[in-house]
Amino acid sequence: MNENIKKFLEKVEQSPELQAKFSQIRNPNEAYKLAASIQDGFSKEEFITEMTKLYEAAIQDLSDEDIAKIAGGGDHGAELIIAITGAAAVL
């Protein structure tokens, strides 16, 4: 994983304010814009790829019902938010 993405995730982990901001975002473009404003040094493609990997790792232990509630009926931006706000546990 890109070291700057790790730094970004650490910053989010330590900040309830940032976690709250990310919880309001519903699409990958907005998530990337906010992430890049917090920590530079990674592309949008790197960001989305890494967040997708973290999301997939995070949902391993969730039931299908839990995943459906989190995703809100197909909101793909939620996948990134789960990854971002839960990434520290996966790292």
Side-chain angles (χ1 to χ4, degrees):
M1 178 182 291
N2 179 311
E3 287 301 314
N4 289 315
I5 291 177
K6 287 182 183 180
K7 289 177 186 177
F8 155 73
L9 292 171
E10 290 169 3
K11 289 177 183 179
V12 173
E13 176 191 12
Q14 296 172 5
S15 173
E17 295 85 17
L18 290 176
Q19 292 172 23
K21 285 182 181 182
F22 277 103
S23 72
Q24 300 301 311
I25 294 174
R26 293 295 174 239
N27 74 62
N29 291 326
E30 288 180 27
Y32 173 72
K33 285 180 186 177
L34 180 55
S37 75
I38 296 165
Q39 177 71 46
D40 62 357
F42 50 87
S43 69
K44 184 164 105 173
E45 292 75 23
E46 286 177 299
F47 175 75
I48 291 174
T49 297
E50 292 302 327
M51 294 307 103
T52 300
K53 287 179 188 177
L54 291 171
Y55 167 76
E56 290 170 354
I59 65 167
Q60 296 272 327
D61 296 328
L62 297 177
S63 70
D64 289 341
E65 181 178 319
D66 290 335
I67 293 168
K69 286 179 186 175
I70 293 168
D75 182 357
H76 298 292
E79 296 171 359
L80 290 174
I81 304 315
I82 294 166
I84 292 166
T85 57
V90 177
L91 293 176

